[in-house]
Structures are given as C-alpha cells and as structure tokens.
Amino acid sequence: MVDIAAYLKRQQKDGRLRQLPELEHPDGGRVRLSAAGPDLLDFSSNDYLGLSRHPLPLVAAADALSRYGTGAGAARLMSGDFALHRELEAALARLKEQEAALLFGSGYLANVGLIPALVGRHDVIFGDRLNHASIHDGCQLSGARLHRFAHNDCNHLEDLIKRHRGGKEALIVVESLYSMDGDICPLAEVVALKERYGCRLLVDEAHATGLFGDNGAGLLAAEGLAHRVDLVMGTLGKALGSYGAYVAGEQRLVSFLLNRARSFIFSTALPPASTAAALAAVQLLADEPELRRELWRRVEIFKSGLTRGGIKAGLGPSQIVPLTVGDNQAALDLAQRLRQRGVYAAAVRPPTVPAGQARLRFSVTNHLDHDDLSAASAIIATELQKC
Ligand SMILES: *Cc1c(COP(=O)(O)O)cnc(C)c1O
C-alpha cells in the first residue's frame, strides 16, 4: 500500500503537487481564479480554432440534444450506435484520407485501446521518448517490449529496429506534432523506415488535426503521407472543440479494432450532442479556411512579440510555444508572477516532461485577439528574463 499522507507531502515539497485550479470561464479566451477575480488570458487551452464556441457546432449540438437527449445510453455495440456517430466517422475518414474511422471516448481511451489490440507480449514497439502518456500507457498495457528512441531521432530509431526487431511483429508510434514541445516529427523519414523494415506505423495527430494541410487534415496529409501509414488517431477535444477521439485506417483494420479494442467495446458511446458538435467542426475545417489563417496570424503576432521582448530561444514551428525554465519551483513562480499580470499558462513539470525541463507551455487560440497577444508577449518576455 502507498503511504498516502507521505506521498502528498513529498509531492508538495518537490513542487510537484497537482491541484485543481478552480477556474471560472467568463468567455472563451479568459479564465478567473475565483468568481470575483480579474480576467486572465487563457494560454492553456487547446481549443485552437475557437470552435467550442463557434455558432455552427453550438446549434448542431443543441439540435442533437433536444432530439436525442443528453447521453447515448449504451456502448456502440449494444444500443448506443447513432447515425451521427457513423456520419462523423465517415467525415473523419474523408478528412484523414483513410478508408474508415472509429470513434473512441477520448484520445486517452483510443491509445490505451488500440495499441494493445495491435501488439502483444511477443511483439515490439518503437516509440519516441516524448510520446504522450496515453501512448505510453497503451504500450505498457499491451505487454509488448517497448524501445524508446531519442526525440525525433530517426538514426536512433533505425538503430533500435536493427537491434531489436528480429522476426517479431513491430509497431512504431509517434506524434506528428508534440504536445509539450510544439515540434514536428520527421514523418517522411519515419515512413521510409517503417516501409524498409516492414513495421506498422501509428501516428497521433492530437495537436495537428484542424491546423495543418488543406482542410486542416493534419501533418500526414499535408506532407502527402496519409496513404503510407497504417493508423492515424486524433482527438475531438482540441482543435475540433468537442470531446472524444478517433482512429482512422483501412476498413479491415477498423473492423478488427471494433472487435479487439477493449476501450471501444466496453465503454459508452459518445453523447449525441458532442458528436454533432464535432461533425459540424469537421465541416467547418473545409468551409472556413480563414479560421486557420487567423490562427497562424495570431501565432505570428505572439512569437514576434516574444522575440521583440528579448527572448532568444527558438519558438518552434507551431501554435504550441514552450518556454523552458528548468527548475520546478522556478516554473511555478514564473506562472504565479504571470497570473498576477493577467496571463494564465500552466507550469508543466515532470513527469509530464523530463526532469529538469519544467516549462511554461503557451498555446495560441483564436479566442485571444491581436492586442491580447501583443500585450501578453511583452509581459511574458519581461517576466521570463527575471528567472
Ligand atoms: C491530448 C492528447 C491525447 C489525449 O486525448 P484526449 O482526448 O484529451 O484524451 C492523446 N495524445 C496526445 C498526443 C495528446 O496531446
């Protein structure tokens, strides 16, 4: 048994204790730490395109709510299967240029379900060292031998494949855009290795879907690689502004997962209203490309403000901007000072990131206007230089 009191005390002492921030949400881009507190700009949201409050998903959700009620009532394979689910799967498959797609309750559930469905204890997995916790947990749960390669290092990946592949079934798992570092996987190289060595490849596009490529299909599609991966997954809870997740691939792979992925089989289907909101959001990716243009314009304003404020570090290629501080307590202190000046960004600490790399992670969304972003970038640059 864990000593619960000692554990909490130790976490507190190490600056690692997690606590709910107890926020209020006056609008899409602002949070308050108490009902009467001042508004803080929200740099921690992944609602990149602002779709959680866009009128079309709102109307679609309200319509589904009044038509079908608040919950699906059962798992898909029981009586929880709705036409809305199948329509959303078809729309996601088209978006991701795959034959078929399957919905899951969340991205976490997708990764812990599909990885153990694909590989077992006689198989091997090659995963990027910075893969998301849900991928890591899926790998553990599968019982397969996990070999982790240095972040985005394809030479290391190839070396590990040569040494450990043998005649075994092998799965490579990467993210296309890394959630805590905001950097991009060398997808073409990974695809080449997967083909050369006959491995399967799963790509997690949680943070890239909606943002990159024509129609916001993601980085795989943007690089013309959609047809050369076995499986791509993503969440509906980030740029699509809803909740839930999907995996897309060949029809027979989806049929296989429907039979084998336990987090799909034994879990209640997505609520109709969230499903309808996600479906409207996928439609918007094609219908309103200016949503993406607006986001990238905002990202540019934020980054150039940081640079003008004297930040020398590279700010990366995406809407996720990490500023590494190092020490856990220093990161917490910086987050606290920024709050006092109206900027809300969570300090990200181990084990979410490697030890000694505590950071503040800023994500830019369409909820923040140009003036917000200029003002915040100046404040952030000033406070960071005091660290
Ligand atoms: C957020 C995230 C997930 C989990 O998705 P949820 O729908 O939030 O459970 C999975 N993978 C990556 C890379 C993520 O960033």
Side-chain angles (χ1 to χ4, degrees), residues 66-334:
S66 59
R67 215 183 274 246
Y68 303 114
T70 53
R76 294 282 297 284
L77 295 169
M78 306 303 279
S79 67
D81 183 40
F82 284 66
L84 276 172
H85 295 135
R86 300 188 299 275
E87 280 174 51
L88 177 55
E89 285 169 341
L92 288 164
R94 272 196 305 278
L95 177 72
K96 306 303 277 184
E97 301 175 28
Q98 303 291 343
E99 280 176 17
L102 186 66
L103 295 172
F104 283 77
S106 71
Y108 185 91
L109 285 170
N111 282 331
V112 299
L114 71 95
I115 297 171
L118 290 169
V119 285
R121 64 195 168 83
H122 301 296
D123 307 324
V124 285
I125 302 173
F126 302 99
D128 189 287
R129 201 179 286 284
L130 295 189
N131 276 343
H132 189 262
S134 59
I135 298 175
H136 191 71
D137 292 359
C139 293
Q140 296 294 328
L141 204 55
S142 74
R145 184 73 194 271
L146 172 63
H147 299 280
R148 302 208 296 172
F149 56 93
H151 180 50
N152 280 344
D153 183 343
C154 285
N155 290 329
H156 191 206
L157 169 59
E158 179 163 23
D159 188 47
L160 288 178
I161 295 173
K162 279 186 185 150
R163 278 197 282 149
H164 302 290
R165 159 92 215 251
K168 294 176 194 139
E169 198 61 57
L171 176 69
I172 301 172
V173 194
V174 295
E175 294 177 31
S176 59
L177 171 61
Y178 282 86
S179 57
M180 291 299 143
D181 293 65
D183 58 355
I184 291 175
C185 175
L187 290 166
E189 281 177 68
V190 173
V191 165
L193 288 176
K194 156 235 160 31
E195 289 173 349
R196 182 169 326 141
Y197 293 97
C199 305
R200 283 214 175 87
L201 173 61
L202 164 63
V203 179
D204 180 332
E205 294 227 83
H207 291 274
T209 301
L211 279 75
F212 293 87
D214 299 341
N215 290 348
L219 281 160
L220 280 170
E223 296 185 26
L225 297 168
H227 300 284
R228 294 167 66 190
V229 301
D230 300 276
L231 288 148
V232 52
M233 67 77 65
T235 171
L236 308 175
K238 287 167 183 159
L240 294 171
S242 181
Y243 191 74
Y246 59 88
V247 52
E250 285 182 359
Q251 177 59 54
R252 63 172 176 203
L253 207 57
V254 168
S255 306
F256 172 79
L257 289 172
L258 190 145
N259 281 274
R260 281 276 291 248
R262 297 174 64 83
S263 63
F264 174 85
I265 300 168
F266 298 107
S267 196
T268 299
L270 284 179
S274 319
T275 310
L279 182 57
V282 172
Q283 195 57 50
L284 278 172
L285 296 183
D287 293 349
E288 295 188 10
E290 57 275 18
L291 289 168
R292 274 187 298 285
R293 283 200 294 273
E294 281 174 26
L295 177 70
W296 294 118
R297 176 84 190 105
R298 284 165 160 82
V299 170
E300 184 48 42
I301 290 170
F302 182 64
K303 288 181 180 171
S304 60
L306 290 174
T307 307
R308 245 195 336 276
I311 305 281
K312 301 253 177 353
L315 300 173
S318 77
Q319 79 284 11
I320 299 169
V321 181
L323 293 175
T324 300
V325 177
D327 179 61
N328 289 349
Q329 195 56 49
L332 287 172
D333 292 345
L334 176 60

